[in-house]
Amino acid sequence: MFENRVFNFSAGPSMLPETVLEQAQKELLNYQGSGMSILEMSHRSKVYDAVIVAAEAELRRVMNIPENYKVLFLQGGATLQFAAVAMNLMTKNGKADYIVTGSFSKKAAKEAKKYGDVHIAGSTESENFCRIPRQSELDLRPDADYVHICFNNTIYGTHWDYIPETGNVPLVADMSSCILSEEVDVSKFGLIYAGAQKNMAPAGLTIVIVREDLIGNAMPTTPVVMDYKELADANSMYNTPPTFPIYIAKLVCEWIASIGGIKALNVINVRKAKALYDFLDGSKLFKNTVSPESRSLMNVTFKTGDEALDAKFVKEAAEVGLLTLKGHRAVGGMRASIYNAVPEEGVMKLIEFMKEFEQAN
Ligand SMILES: *Cc1c(COP(=O)(O)O)cnc(C)c1O
């Protein structure tokens, strides 16, 4: 590891692979003989066109995205998609079903309500979002225009351990905090979106992967930069796309391919998460309160049950180079976000430190 770099467990923006940062640094002042940086380059230049075309090709390759899906590179974050999904898709019957499993899915449902009839088809809020509802608990409407889920709940540390059956109703998933961490059968979804700053690129880029037949029915009031048809027809260049984050996303996808693809990366992710959960399950001090089947590979939450002790842990961990372990304010305690780019060594070091802290306290 590069000298003086810490293990950063931030939920996002978060760590990027060191080799990616090094390559970006090497290419920064003079990108491939162009005499300029990607940061300074027209998005309509030939040189940049090759970058965005390669970014899409690499993403399609690592995620195995079928031909009949469009890939869009956008701005506005996952939060803008809360509205964009509704404005583009809630237009047949004006109805959509939302399954609420945490803060972001709740926000998504609230935003969509502005545009149509939103039904909460399942929620685990009364249980503090400690688990993902089972299929049998879902109250889905057959005439909904889509069903929305948040596949990985960044704040609560839960993850869908199955893909809900929605019949002919398209499934829409917010995958901001788990995209590229596990193999996903894209064909099971009508639309996948993700803010890139968790597992893919720096902040500023949002990815939308949408089945072609769902494009072209946006509400007439949809802003042009949110209209999937306008964006797809312009190959994400209706206006200026987030050029530098798209370039980093390309490098990240190349890095994933170079280490054996998402499948190989997932083996490491499972190993990292298992080591941490195994430690938590055996610990007398730290507790994880998520139902075992719903545990996230990417965001691991834990508490001591004593707020002062939690604060002491976060402070002392930072002193030994384990940073950003404070839990989200909605949950308290600690959260270790162990995205793709967090090295296994960092997770092992965290576990060692937790052991020492447990003994000392
Ligand atoms: C971070 C996050 C968001 C919000 O993303 P922005 O890009 O900040 O809008 C939404 N959903 C999930 C699951 C997230 O992790």
Side-chain angles (χ1 to χ4, degrees):
M1 235 168 109
F2 190 77
E3 223 182 319
N4 296 331
R5 275 182 57 85
V6 296
F7 293 112
N8 176 12
F9 298 94
S10 169
S14 39
M15 286 185 87
L16 286 163
E18 206 167 282
T19 54
V20 164
L21 295 176
E22 277 170 348
Q23 188 170 345
Q25 181 185 44
K26 250 186 248 155
E27 295 181 328
L28 189 66
L29 271 81
N30 183 355
Y31 182 74
Q32 296 196 349
S34 63
M36 61 177 93
S37 164
I38 293 261
L39 291 162
E40 306 164 300
M41 190 179 287
S42 164
H43 59 296
R44 310 224 180 255
S45 64
K46 254 207 179 102
V47 178
Y48 190 76
D49 189 59
V51 173
I52 192 167
V53 166
E56 178 174 341
E58 292 293 336
L59 183 65
R60 283 185 176 277
R61 184 157 74 112
V62 293
M63 283 188 70
N64 202 8
I65 299 172
E67 288 281 320
N68 62 325
Y69 285 73
K70 293 281 187 199
V71 174
L72 307 175
F73 295 100
L74 310 175
Q75 305 197 37
T79 305
L80 191 70
Q81 293 309 311
F82 296 168
V85 163
M87 297 188 94
N88 281 273
L89 267 52
M90 216 199 303
T91 52
K92 246 198 237 158
N93 297 324
K95 298 174 167 185
D97 288 352
Y98 278 69
I99 303 169
V100 175
T101 52
S103 311
F104 290 117
S105 47
K106 197 173 170 180
K107 281 185 177 167
K110 188 177 170 204
E111 185 77 343
K113 257 197 187 114
K114 295 177 185 169
Y115 304 102
D117 169 2
V118 166
H119 164 62
I120 305 301
S123 170
T124 49
E125 187 166 15
S126 64
E127 295 159 74
N128 251 328
F129 297 125
C130 71
R131 65 181 187 94
I132 298 298
R134 301 297 93 194
Q135 178 82 46
S136 60
E137 297 174 78
L138 306 179
D139 172 33
L140 300 170
R141 300 181 295 186
D143 61 342
D145 290 332
Y146 62 90
V147 175
H148 180 282
I149 62 172
C150 178
F151 211 47
N152 187 78
N153 298 282
T154 324
I155 294 175
Y156 293 87
T158 64
H159 179 269
W160 284 76
D161 55 314
Y162 69 101
I163 296 174
E165 183 53 61
T166 60
N168 290 326
V169 180
L171 182 61
V172 172
D174 176 355
M175 292 199 186
S176 295
S177 51
C178 60
I179 194 158
L180 303 178
S181 71
E182 63 190 323
E183 288 184 297
V184 164
D185 181 353
V186 174
S187 72
K188 293 243 161 51
F189 298 85
L191 186 150
I192 292 168
Y193 66 94
Q197 70 274 20
K198 316 277 163 75
N199 219 5
M200 202 171 198
L205 169 64
T206 311
I207 302 280
V208 172
I209 301 164
V210 54
R211 213 172 64 210
E212 280 168 357
D213 62 286
L214 297 174
I215 299 177
N217 306 302
M219 295 174 183
T221 50
T222 307
V224 65
V225 291
M226 291 166 73
D227 183 331
Y228 298 146
K229 179 154 186 3
E230 300 277 5
L231 296 163
D233 286 351
N235 293 318
S236 304
M237 294 257 195
Y238 182 87
N239 68 330
T240 315
T243 51
F244 195 76
I246 291 169
Y247 156 69
I248 299 291
K250 166 186 169 287
L251 297 184
V252 166
C253 289
E254 287 168 352
W255 169 74
I256 292 172
S258 77
I259 60 171
I262 291 181
K263 193 173 188 164
L265 193 54
N266 180 251
V267 171
I268 303 170
N269 286 335
V270 168
R271 209 158 60 208
K272 280 155 58 181
K274 185 174 184 303
L276 193 45
Y277 285 120
D278 281 352
F279 169 73
L280 287 167
D281 288 341
S283 168
K284 288 201 175 64
L285 180 65
F286 299 103
K287 296 230 161 355
N288 166 276
T289 52
V290 171
S291 287
E293 79 287 353
S294 302
R295 284 172 165 180
S296 167
L297 285 184
M298 295 284 101
N299 311 97
V300 180
T301 52
F302 53 96
K303 276 182 185 178
T304 65
D306 172 346
E307 276 180 37
L309 202 54
D310 287 348
K312 184 173 181 232
F313 175 84
V314 171
K315 182 171 170 280
E316 291 183 7
E319 284 162 11
V320 297
L322 303 166
L323 267 81
T324 337
L325 283 161
K326 193 170 188 289
H328 189 274
R329 60 191 181 280
V331 181
M334 281 74 74
R335 170 177 53 179
S337 295
I338 49 175
Y339 296 122
N340 287 344
V342 174
E344 200 163 8
E345 185 197 341
V347 178
M348 295 309 149
K349 201 173 163 202
L350 171 63
I351 294 169
E352 273 317 302
F353 177 72
M354 289 169 79
K355 280 183 190 159
E356 285 166 25
F357 188 86
E358 180 165 347
Q359 259 155 26
N361 294 276

